Amino acid sequence: MKTTLDITDALFARAKTHARRTGRSLRALVEDGLRRVLDDATAAKRYKLADHSVGRRGDPNPLAAMTWQEILDVTYGGTE
């Protein structure tokens, strides 16, 4: 498929220089760039927090029986 791209002169000059230096056509360079951008977009990795859980999976939650005020007292060393 043929299409027309409108890019800045500076970017075009850099692309042509890079293509010439690497022995590739400008078309191959553009296609490779598009593939990389699209592959990155489809395989975007979501940030995942490290698991810093306390206790073992399946054990009862030690905080479940506490009130919010009791949790605050334990966390911050009691009320003033």
Side-chain angles (χ1 to χ4, degrees):
M1 173 182 213
K2 290 188 178 194
T3 190
T4 302
L5 298 175
D6 185 21
I7 61 175
T8 63
D9 292 339
L11 182 59
F12 180 69
R14 287 179 59 200
K16 278 180 64 173
T17 301
H18 182 77
R20 191 177 323 113
R21 212 175 324 129
T22 58
R24 299 165 60 196
S25 66
L26 188 58
R27 174 185 174 166
L29 184 68
V30 170
E31 285 182 352
D32 185 46
L34 285 171
R35 276 191 204 91
R36 286 180 186 212
V37 168
L38 295 173
D39 288 348
D40 284 350
T42 56
K45 296 176 184 170
R46 301 187 93 189
Y47 182 78
K48 186 175 179 182
L49 291 173
D51 184 357
H52 292 287
S53 300
V54 176
R56 289 177 288 180
R57 186 174 294 244
D59 284 353
N61 181 352
L63 303 177
M66 297 175 77
T67 66
W68 182 242
Q69 187 59 53
E70 291 170 327
I71 293 171
L72 290 174
D73 291 345
V74 169
T75 303
Y76 296 106
T79 58
E80 295 181 28

